[in-house]
Amino acid sequence: MGSASSAYRMIYLDVDGRIQKVVFSRFCSPCDIKELFCTATGLSRNTTISLLDSTGAMVSIDPTMPNNSERSPYKVVPITGGQLADKEELFQNVLTQVAEQFSRAFKINELKTEVTNRLAMLEKRVELEGMKVVEIEKCRSDIKKLREEMASRNNSSFLDDNKKLTPRRDVPSYPKYMLSQQTIDALRKPAFDVWLWESNEMLSCLEHMYHDLGLVKDFNINPITLKRWLLCIHDNYRNNPFHNFRHCFCVTQMMYSMIYLCNLQEKFTQVDILILMTAAVCHDLDHPGYNNTYQINARTELAVRYNDISPLENHHCAVAFQIFSQPDCNIFANFDPEAFKQIRQGTITLILATDMARHGEILDSFKQKVDNFDFTNEEHVTCLKMVLIKCCDISNEVRPMEVAEPWVDCLLEEYFMQSDREKAEGLPVAPFMDREKVTKPTAQIGFIKFVLIPMFETVMKLFPQIEEVMVQPLRESRDRYEELKQIDDAMNEVQKKKSENLTMGGKKK
């Protein structure tokens, strides 16, 4: 199966004959990685550096760079103004970055502003790094062509690009993994390590869940259609730091484990189980990486289309049912119209419930029902399903620390992307998204204490069995982040006193 290396890169650097190990997430940007290398080697963060392998060849600094070993470390070479000898290489790197930005922009109108800004920065960098005039002109010419191509493509509507939605006919186009019994057992538990699996393996695990729960058999779902649908789902999650296909898998796997842990198949109908699983799979389809607040404040096409009411969640639903509208991907093909209508309504209700703006309203409604909960009451059951998908959507801190913590880094990276863009566009910035104001402990403590624990403890009234494997890990996570915050506060206090002493010392002189 996959390995932990799919989530992290471990790189060894040669720092004047001393070996330095650097570990970073594959979700880091090239800029972050470069700064990390500079810090590790004692250079200032804005130093331009090259990496050379043992043969003297340059190594690209990016999240996909190959791991090396202690015996073959990369040599870090700081580049000064007079050392930019290999200008062809530099030119290619700049052009590659431009092309990467545009490949995203072709599909997503909403990134136009960001891409334009980055292009301007790249153009400036080309001049600052001392390229030959002919190289600058060639780069500008290529940039101009890319701009023109983007402009021609930007005339199409956000949802009109059907290329991603086209189902694949070369099924099965992901290998059928024979899951070991150990994996099958682990898949039913909240502690499952979601970082160990490649996309194809996650697709096979999702396929297994639908078969294992009896959904394929009970509803006569065509197994090939199930494969096609899952592939199409995968292709319609974007490569955001957080809201990506792995997050979709996480949420669905947690739902699957809750179904077993809480014996939900004894309490719910199989249609309810199908709705829970399918809503989890589809709940963040085509998420652009910028939240509802941004959509509304920036007056994006999505916010205008959905009148500022849960624009993202409405969009996730729309994309989900666009996919189902294609016969090759319609796992509900054998349902009669009335049954399909019930599944459609149930799925939409659950996906819309994942809008955190509705958190208080949904949890309060559930609290009123939980003490006298009635599994024969449709309103009670719908409310419980809404709370279950909410639990699964934000359940990372339920998982072991080594599985949960990388998700915090991913989420903060996505937050920082948004707040940087909001600052550039003159929009309001939420303090919990501002890289200058937030730390990991401050980001997590309030969320765990005031959102996660109260919600899971309310569900625990109905299902006491979740305390040990879900609520207790949340309490431990809260305590750990509170300890980290105390350490951070103490260090900041020491730093503050040092600064004050230096200031006082300066005044005495």
Side-chain angles (χ1 to χ4, degrees), residues 13 15 18 20-22 35-43:
L13 303 177
V15 185
R18 181 169 52 85
Q20 181 80 37
K21 181 172 80 170
V22 181
E35 287 187 1
L36 199 59
F37 288 171
C38 286
T39 304
T41 52
L43 298 166

Side-chain angles (χ1 to χ4, degrees), residues 38-58:
C38 286
T39 304
T41 52
L43 298 166
S44 70
R45 288 169 64 182
N46 57 357
T47 307
T48 303
I49 59 169
S50 284
L51 284 194
L52 304 179
D53 67 13
S54 54
T55 67
M58 284 184 74

